[in-house]
Structures are given as structure tokens and as C-alpha cells.
Amino acid sequence: DAGITQSPRHKVTETGTPVTLRCHQTENHRYMYWYRQDPGHGLRLIHYSYGVKDTDKGEVSDGYSVSRSKTEDFLLTLESATSSQTSVYFCAISYQGGNQPQHFGDGTRLSIL
Amino acid sequence: AQSVTQLGSHVSVSEGALVLLRCNYSSSVPPYLFWYVQYPNQGLQLLLKYTSAATLVKGINGFEAEFKKSETSFHLTKPSAHMSDAAEYFCAVSEKINFNKFYFGSGTKLNVKP
């Protein structure tokens, strides 16, 4: 299995609080991705990174920011969490981008009350 | 942007029967195509991928998929279902022009009846 660790695995927080999710990889892959998974929607891309300090938006980026200061870490931040951001969040990595498959972490279940 | 359509959010088959899960994509330029499987409370695992080589792609666990450009389809099949195949399956594409982004279908849950 690809070395991907997501933390925390579960989190419950209140509306309006900031939340940071961490994705750590040991594979030295260039590309890292954050997705959210919601019933009936599959996985939707939030943000992705194609190198240290190089990030871009996905299809559902509003309300989220990311940072990548090291190859191995990709952080997802909800500046002021809302109930609509309750979801399961997955990190994925890829060696070379779209012509190579992604490898996924085990997910973070986030509940915002 | 790409769109990926998986027909049937739930599919139920008997053990030993053929499995057919459907996937259609929207791009006029054939993209890279992938099938993933997700077991409960786990991340996604790669089943197989199509990247412009043979149109019939074989994957793990006896699954295979056929790329049909004329139908913009990449359907997943398995000749004989096993109880352990019960899971959710996702089709995904990435564009050859901007292949940094992946687009996923909404998923198909496969139920295998004894």
C-alpha cells in the first residue's frame, strides 16, 4: 500500500471554527489531491498540488484553502467550517498526474454541528 | 470540464453471474480512464486503467474493461461475481490536455446475492 496517512481520522467540530486536515505521504510523489465524498456525488476535487508551493483549485474549492510547504505534506483548511462541509475527505497522491493512477488515504470523517 | 456518468447507483447480481457496471465520459478527446473500488470505511483502490494502449484492459480480481471510443464508454465487467466483490465502484477520467485533474462518477454499489 502507498504510504499515505491522513489525520485526524475523525473529527467533530462546531460551525464557525477553523479546521485543518493533514495528508502525509512517504512516496515522494509530486501530485497530491484533496477530495470530498458525499452520497450521490462520488468524489469531487477540492484542490490539488503539483509541487511544493504549487496548488490549484478543483471543482468545489469555495470555503477551502490548502498549503504545501514540503513534498510530503498537504494541508486542507476550512477557515470557518459550515454544516455543508460535513463530509468524508480523502487525500490522494500520484507520481505523474493524470496518466498515472492515484493512490488514496483512508479518509477523514468530518462532522460540523 | 469532463463529466462521468455511471448508470445505476445500485446493481444487484447473484453469485456466479456476470457483473456489468457502466461508465460513459463526455470528452471528445479520449481521456485516460480508471476504475476504482471502495470497501466500507476505506479509501479507493485501483482496479484497472486505460492509457491509450489495448482497448481491452485487464485488472485485478478478474475484472476487465473495454474502451469504446465510438460509444465514449468504459464499462467494467467480471464473468462470475463473488461475494467478496460487494463494494462501491467508481469510474474516473483525466483529460489528456489538462491531466492534473481527475473527475469521478457518482459510483455504483454492487450487491452480490448468495
Side-chain angles (χ1 to χ4, degrees):
Chain A
D1 290 346
I4 308 169
T5 304
Q6 290 187 234
S7 58
R9 293 294 314 280
H10 302 271
K11 187 173 182 66
V12 180
T13 190
E14 294 184 346
T15 299
T17 60
V19 176
T20 296
L21 308 183
R22 180 184 185 231
C23 178
H24 178 80
Q25 61 144 330
T26 58
E27 306 296 319
N28 201 35
H29 281 3
R30 178 182 175 189
Y31 291 85
M32 299 185 75
Y33 306 80
W34 277 109
Y35 293 90
R36 59 179 290 173
Q37 184 177 28
D38 304 290
H41 290 279
L43 275 75
R44 292 180 291 175
L45 181 65
I46 305 171
H47 283 280
Y48 68 97
S49 169
Y50 48 97
V52 173
K53 298 192 187 302
D54 293 323
T55 65
D56 202 356
K57 296 178 180 180
E59 60 181 312
V60 290
S61 59
D62 288 346
Y64 302 93
S65 63
V66 291
S67 66
R68 191 168 178 201
S69 59
K70 299 184 290 185
T71 298
E72 57 266 34
D73 288 326
F74 192 33
L75 303 180
L76 176 71
T77 296
L78 291 65
E79 301 289 349
S80 178
T82 68
S83 59
S84 64
Q85 294 175 310
T86 292
S87 186
V88 180
Y89 291 85
F90 285 97
C91 173
I93 64 174
S94 175
Y95 176 69
Q96 196 173 301
N99 64 344
Q100 294 294 321
Q102 297 179 311
H103 303 282
F104 286 81
D106 289 332
T108 293
R109 187 171 297 274
L110 178 63
S111 296
I112 300 165
L113 307 177
Chain B
Q2 274 279 2
S3 69
V4 183
T5 303
Q6 291 184 239
L7 283 177
S9 59
H10 291 81
V11 170
S12 186
V13 300
S14 298
E15 192 173 20
L18 171 71
V19 176
L20 171 60
L21 305 181
R22 300 178 186 273
C23 174
N24 289 87
Y25 62 90
S26 64
S27 175
S28 58
V29 176
Y32 300 113
L33 295 151
F34 307 85
W35 274 100
Y36 290 87
V37 60
Q38 185 181 33
Y39 298 100
N41 299 314
Q42 295 186 22
L44 280 69
Q45 303 172 30
L46 181 70
L47 274 178
L48 49 81
K49 64 177 182 179
Y50 167 77
T51 55
S52 307
T55 57
L56 183 62
V57 181
K58 294 186 183 300
I60 62 171
N61 301 338
F63 284 93
E64 61 182 36
E66 186 173 9
F67 170 69
K68 291 187 176 180
K69 181 179 177 181
S70 61
E71 299 177 7
T72 61
S73 69
F74 190 56
H75 301 332
L76 181 71
T77 60
K78 182 174 181 178
S80 177
H82 192 272
M83 296 297 292
S84 61
D85 294 327
E88 190 162 18
Y89 293 80
F90 293 92
C91 180
V93 307
S94 67
E95 297 172 332
K96 290 182 178 177
I97 296 175
N98 176 16
F99 62 65
N100 291 332
K101 296 183 178 181
F102 289 78
Y103 300 88
F104 284 80
S106 56
T108 298
K109 286 188 177 178
L110 176 66
N111 177 47
V112 182
K113 299 175 291 186

